Amino acid sequence: MVAWRWQHAVGPITSLTATGAETLGFMLLGMAGLRSGFLTGEWPRKRYAVMAATGVTIGWAAYAAIATFDIAHGFDARYVALSWLTLATPLRPLTIIGYAAAIILLARPGGWLTTRVSAAGRMAFSNYLGTTLICTTIFYGYGFGLYGDLSRAQLYLVVVPIWLLMLLWSKPWLDRFRYGPLEWLWRSLSRFAWQPMRGSAFTASR
């Protein structure tokens, strides 16, 4: 699959060129959100409400316009690429901040949503690659080969269960282990020593 994609699909170098700077920018945005207290819920609730309303409203309205533009052109690959690489780029940070503010407003400290999302975030590496394995099995030829067979509405039948799976399994795992499986491997390799695995991640972080 890697060899085929390298030859026929967008190569890793091209993909890195197209999205690498934006990905790094989002990582820095997340770091700034953590250091400023935004992501830890330390800001006034009124400020979160304004940011959520502004980001989500403008983002949804603009994305609806972009979707209308793509539909009008029959989802021509050239116009979809224009939408993804150019038109939507300035919208993504604003919409992401709006979503984050809305989640912080809705999440009660110690509540089900808060603890589950927190656990999924602690296991982002494992969840990301786990999602990749699930989706490639569903859509690639070595699995069920459903690529291109599902409508955009039917894709939610894949997306939502995977969201729920991440929320359901991450916390029970971290109740028993300090890290997700790939997070543990990454930390061990980066520190040149096997890290302790047994014990709750929530207890160890206190």
Side-chain angles (χ1 to χ4, degrees):
M1 291 303 303
V2 171
W4 188 93
R5 288 183 63 84
W6 191 283
Q7 182 177 359
H8 297 88
V10 177
I13 304 302
T14 304
S15 180
L16 180 63
T17 303
T19 62
E22 185 181 30
T23 301
L24 177 60
F26 285 140
M27 293 173 66
L28 295 174
L29 180 64
M31 293 168 65
L34 183 63
R35 295 191 64 175
S36 67
F38 170 73
L39 291 178
T40 54
E42 298 173 28
W43 290 14
R45 290 184 64 81
K46 183 177 181 180
R47 188 183 299 179
Y48 285 116
V50 171
M51 296 177 73
T54 302
V56 173
T57 300
I58 295 176
W60 283 11
Y63 277 122
I66 292 174
T68 302
F69 171 78
D70 287 338
I71 292 170
H73 291 90
F75 291 102
D76 185 296
R78 295 169 296 176
Y79 292 98
V80 172
L82 172 65
S83 300
W84 170 54
L85 292 174
T86 304
L87 301 180
T89 298
L91 297 172
R92 284 193 279 267
L94 178 65
T95 310
I96 288 170
I97 291 172
Y99 283 151
I103 291 171
I104 291 169
L105 282 174
L106 294 172
R108 293 183 299 103
W112 188 91
L113 178 62
T114 307
T115 56
R116 296 284 171 164
V117 171
S118 173
R122 285 172 175 260
M123 294 179 55
F125 190 16
S126 296
N127 280 322
Y128 181 84
L129 291 186
T131 299
T132 300
L133 291 175
I134 293 172
C135 288
T136 53
T137 301
I138 293 173
F139 295 108
Y140 279 21
Y142 62 76
F144 298 103
L146 294 180
Y147 181 81
D149 290 342
L150 302 182
S151 69
R152 286 170 173 79
Q154 289 173 327
L155 287 174
Y156 284 102
L157 299 176
V158 177
V159 173
V160 174
I162 289 176
W163 283 353
L164 293 175
L165 179 62
M166 286 191 288
L167 293 176
L168 290 173
W169 93 285
S170 298
K171 186 177 183 301
W173 177 277
L174 291 178
D175 283 338
R176 295 168 175 80
F177 302 103
R178 297 184 180 213
Y179 310 108
L182 290 176
E183 285 76 11
W184 170 80
L185 180 60
W186 184 261
R187 284 175 180 262
S188 297
L189 292 175
S190 63
R191 295 175 180 177
F192 300 103
W194 297 119
Q195 299 300 297
M197 187 66 167
R198 292 285 183 179
S200 171
F202 305 106
T203 303
S205 63
R206 292 193 184 102

